[in-house]
Amino acid sequence: MLDREGFRPNVGIILLNQKNQVFWGKRIRTHSWQFPQGGIDRGESPEQAMFRELHEEVGLHPEHVRIVARTRDWLRYEVPDRYIRRDARGHYKGQKQIWYLLQLMTHDWHLNLRATAKPEFDAWRWNDYWVPLDVVVEFKRGVYEMALTELARFLPRQEYRNRYLRGGTRQRDDNRQAPIQTQDTRRPQVPFELPPDASIDVMPRRSFLNRNES
């Protein structure tokens, strides 16, 4: 289903965890990482297509997420000819997308890359909101930047509380000292393929890279 300009209606999904990190999936048997996305079928609304793609690509159901926001208008990108089937060239030009920002409302063990017989991803990870666009296929980078920028103002506020004050522990000495700053020893999230904190499907199916862009 194409519009008059040759763009296929599509939805994109930015899925947040409780730390405002985003789901980042590695396309099956490739080096490219991306957000979930997929086409809108005839008769579907963008929201219906979003929930269908959410289940097909990451195994989640509507009750697992909360819609935070969506882009106001379509965001478009063109697909290079080498990624388009020969019989579609001259008609198909690219994708026009509505992007949804979702909050995960359950544990991430509900994520399932093999919810269908044709998985899109063979690994996933949580990444900082401003994802490394250099690992996204080049022709999608502009629309990713536009979607992330438009939706950033809707990010849920993070509460940073002092766990000692919350637990009722207080400084009793009148000569109170400033809290000691401790170094964050967590591993940085480096955008290498299959980073240490990624989750991988150990039995990937054959690549679907050569089919028309979903």
Side-chain angles (χ1 to χ4, degrees):
M1 184 175 66
L2 303 178
D3 66 12
R4 294 179 179 179
E5 298 177 332
F7 288 91
R8 183 186 181 194
N10 191 284
V11 291
I13 299 171
I14 301 173
L15 176 66
L16 301 171
N17 66 10
Q18 298 303 315
K19 298 179 181 179
N20 281 350
Q21 296 170 316
V22 294
F23 173 92
W24 200 221
K26 189 177 80 65
R27 291 201 65 176
I28 190 166
R29 302 178 70 89
T30 75
H31 298 284
S32 296
W33 292 73
Q34 68 172 55
F35 294 128
Q37 70 171 68
I40 300 174
D41 292 338
R42 189 177 300 277
E44 278 188 323
S45 68
E47 184 172 317
Q48 290 171 332
M50 178 272 291
F51 281 125
R52 176 178 51 77
E53 291 293 337
L54 184 70
H55 174 66
E56 291 178 358
E57 298 199 358
V58 298
L60 296 179
H61 295 283
E63 62 268 23
H64 292 147
V65 298
R66 176 177 68 89
I67 298 177
V68 178
R70 52 158 279 181
T71 53
R72 291 186 300 176
D73 204 351
W74 298 101
L75 304 180
R76 292 172 171 80
Y77 67 82
E78 295 187 12
V79 177
D81 284 347
R82 66 181 180 276
Y83 291 99
I84 302 175
R85 296 194 316 263
R86 290 184 178 181
D87 59 341
R89 292 176 185 172
H91 305 284
Y92 175 75
K93 192 172 183 179
Q95 308 277 14
K96 65 177 185 179
Q97 299 179 311
I98 295 293
W99 281 85
Y100 285 86
L101 183 67
L102 305 181
Q103 175 82 62
L104 183 66
M105 304 301 291
T106 187
H107 297 289
D108 59 11
W109 63 62
H110 284 103
L111 292 164
N112 178 15
L113 303 186
R114 297 172 66 84
T116 67
K118 295 182 178 181
E120 287 289 331
F121 306 117
D122 59 15
W124 70 274
R125 65 176 296 183
W126 293 114
N127 203 93
D128 291 339
Y129 182 79
W130 295 105
V131 293
L133 296 183
D134 57 334
V135 296
V136 179
V137 64
E138 186 175 3
F139 59 85
K140 294 182 181 180
R141 294 176 189 173
V143 86
Y144 269 48
E145 185 174 2
M146 287 189 289
L148 288 166
T149 300
E150 180 175 346
L151 296 174
R153 65 191 180 97
F154 297 105
L155 287 173
R157 301 183 77 180
Q158 298 292 293
E159 295 185 6
Y160 298 96
R161 301 177 184 175
N162 187 309
R163 62 190 178 100
Y164 296 105
L165 292 178
R166 187 170 65 247
T169 302
R170 296 182 179 179
Q171 184 82 25
R172 295 184 178 180
D173 190 349
D174 291 336
N175 297 321
R176 298 178 182 177
Q177 298 178 354
I180 299 174
Q181 297 280 336
T182 58
Q183 184 176 2
D184 188 350
T185 58
R186 293 174 298 177
R187 292 194 309 269
Q189 293 190 348
V190 182
F192 297 144
E193 180 183 352
L194 295 186
D197 54 352
S199 176
I200 183 169
D201 183 343
V202 296
M203 296 180 61
R205 298 176 185 269
R206 67 181 183 86
S207 173
F208 294 90
L209 180 63
N210 293 329
R211 66 192 174 100
N212 189 17
E213 283 287 306
S214 62

